[in-house]
Amino acid sequence: DAKTTQPNSMESNEEEPVHLPCNHSTISGTDYIHWYRQLPSQGPEYVIHGLTSNVNNRMASLAIAEDRKSSTLILHRATLRDAAVYYCILRPRGYNFNKFYFGSGTKLNVKP
Amino acid sequence: DADVTQTPRNRITKTGKRIMLECSQTKGHDRMYWYRQDPGLGLRLIYYSFDVKDINKGEISDGYSVSRQAQAKFSLSLESAIPNQTALYFCATSDPRRTATDTQYFGPGTRLTVL
């Protein structure tokens, strides 16, 4: 399975943008890039995903490098509620593939 | 009401006991999963089921078994619990027919302590 590398932790100030990096140098052409986050005492929740183009949704933006070997999750204005562990995950395109490899993620601390 | 529920939410047991963790979902999804999470680590897949008649081992299935009683129910059993099975257990569901990315929806977790 293609793996991802993320910093163990990051810190941000409230209401400032946050850029969470992820390296995935062994990504294959059929791998989607997914981001999930896990708030304290909760199960993980979906944030965003992309394949080649940058993506935006109500929660975040995803910027994908042209060679697809890295990506960045962007929270435009961090709030205290965004303090969580963020997981960058590769998942092959295909109906029958089963796995999400979560890794250890990046713990984001948001300071008031 | 939550779409994915897990019972119990907390359980303390002794070594050698048989334990069952239950997961129920109202999302109508065919796929269900069991993960465990250890402190400071990500989630590791224990078992997964693509439908009622389909059960598959994940990366750490030794010491665990599962039962898919219905589309909505997926149970995880520890036949003889041991201390290194102390962890946070999550159930998840998905349905690739509804989301092209097969987005996973997680329950709130069960904290299991084996003494």
Side-chain angles (χ1 to χ4, degrees):
Chain A
D1 294 336
K3 298 295 193 293
T4 62
T5 303
Q6 300 176 253
N8 288 332
S9 63
M10 292 184 65
E11 198 164 76
S12 172
N13 294 317
E14 196 176 12
E15 299 190 3
E16 292 186 354
V18 181
H19 291 231
L20 298 166
C22 181
N23 288 319
H24 28 78
S25 58
T26 59
I27 191 171
S28 75
T30 57
D31 285 342
Y32 278 94
I33 302 161
H34 292 249
W35 285 81
Y36 280 69
R37 72 179 185 180
Q38 186 174 15
L39 301 171
S41 302
Q42 295 188 27
E45 62 176 352
Y46 168 81
V47 177
I48 200 167
H49 77 280
L51 185 63
T52 56
S53 302
N54 294 344
V55 184
N56 300 295
N57 66 20
R58 64 176 181 81
M59 292 181 71
S61 296
L62 177 59
I64 301 173
E66 195 168 338
D67 63 6
R68 300 206 331 123
K69 293 185 176 181
S70 65
S71 61
T72 302
L73 179 71
I74 302 167
L75 307 179
H76 295 286
R77 289 183 68 218
T79 68
L80 296 178
R81 194 189 175 280
D82 291 321
V85 178
Y86 287 79
Y87 298 98
C88 170
I89 301 160
L90 301 182
R91 175 151 175 139
R93 188 168 28 185
Y95 185 86
N96 288 321
F97 198 81
N98 59 296
K99 276 186 185 177
F100 275 112
Y101 175 76
F102 274 81
S104 55
T106 296
K107 185 174 183 179
L108 175 66
N109 181 38
V110 180
K111 297 185 296 183
Chain B
D1 289 339
D3 294 321
V4 184
T5 57
Q6 294 183 233
T7 55
R9 294 294 312 279
N10 290 283
R11 181 72 184 268
I12 300 173
T13 190
K14 294 182 179 180
T15 297
K17 293 291 187 181
R18 184 177 187 274
I19 295 297
M20 179 180 286
L21 308 183
E22 299 186 342
C23 177
S24 295
Q25 53 116 345
T26 58
K27 299 186 77 67
H29 289 174
D30 284 335
R31 297 185 175 187
M32 298 187 74
Y33 309 79
W34 276 104
Y35 292 88
R36 69 175 276 177
Q37 185 174 38
D38 297 280
L41 301 179
L43 280 73
R44 292 182 291 169
L45 183 64
I46 306 172
Y47 270 95
Y48 63 99
S49 170
F50 278 7
D51 63 42
V52 175
K53 297 180 181 179
D54 177 78
I55 300 290
N56 303 280
K57 292 182 178 181
E59 58 186 302
I60 54 162
S61 59
D62 287 347
Y64 301 94
S65 62
V66 292
S67 173
R68 187 79 184 267
Q69 300 95 322
Q71 185 202 40
K73 296 185 181 297
F74 193 37
S75 299
L76 176 71
S77 293
L78 287 67
E79 296 301 326
S80 179
I82 56 177
N84 76 0
Q85 291 177 313
T86 293
L88 191 54
Y89 290 83
F90 287 101
C91 174
T93 73
S94 72
D95 190 341
R97 297 170 301 177
R98 303 188 190 192
T99 62
T101 60
D102 201 19
T103 300
Q104 300 211 338
Y105 297 86
F106 286 82
T110 294
R111 186 170 297 281
L112 177 66
T113 302
V114 183
L115 302 176

